[in-house]
Amino acid sequence: MSKPNKKRYVMSQVRQQYTEAVGGDQVEVELSDGQVLTFPHPLFAEDEWSEAVDAAENNHDKAVAILGAEQYEKFRAAGHADADVALLFLAVQQDMQDKVKRRPTRS
């Protein structure tokens, strides 16, 4: 018998709600030359990606960890600096915090 007023999270709906709230499980960024790059949204990233980003000790290493080597080269070729990735990542995190203030679906 369940307790009165007890809330239960519905796992099949929680991830979907957060994915919709932050705009998807991938982040897209348009470069100054019009190319579009993607990287995992931090909320949905695999552990390996998150660990590489967390272990990065400077802007260059963090940019490569976030974008991957191939996309990093495109990013730099478009004239962007390593610090721009740090600013982008900060913007994604702040946007995520603003959007996930809603509580997950419960039944």
Side-chain angles (χ1 to χ4, degrees):
M1 182 172 175
S2 65
K3 297 178 183 178
N5 299 322
K6 183 176 180 177
K7 302 293 181 181
R8 180 179 299 164
Y9 291 93
V10 180
M11 288 308 301
S12 63
Q13 297 173 357
V14 172
R15 184 178 181 96
Q16 179 183 354
Q17 181 179 352
Y18 279 112
T19 302
E20 291 171 3
V22 299
D25 61 359
Q26 294 285 308
V27 175
E28 291 185 355
V29 57
E30 184 174 333
L31 306 181
S32 60
D33 65 2
Q35 289 186 83
V36 176
L37 306 181
T38 62
F39 59 89
H41 192 286
L43 191 59
F44 305 106
E46 297 290 330
D47 288 344
E48 182 179 309
W49 183 89
S50 296
E51 290 167 2
V53 172
D54 290 345
E57 295 186 6
N58 56 49
N59 283 340
H60 169 77
D61 293 345
K62 191 168 285 286
V64 172
I66 291 170
L67 297 174
E70 184 178 320
Q71 288 194 126
Y72 173 77
E73 292 303 322
K74 293 176 182 178
F75 186 82
R76 293 292 290 160
H80 299 284
D82 292 339
D84 293 339
V85 176
L87 293 172
L88 171 63
F89 200 66
L90 180 61
V92 169
Q93 289 176 320
Q94 287 178 342
D95 189 44
M96 174 179 60
Q97 289 173 351
D98 291 344
K99 289 183 178 179
V100 298
K101 288 182 180 177
R102 297 184 323 163
R103 294 187 61 107
T105 301
R106 297 183 294 178
S107 67

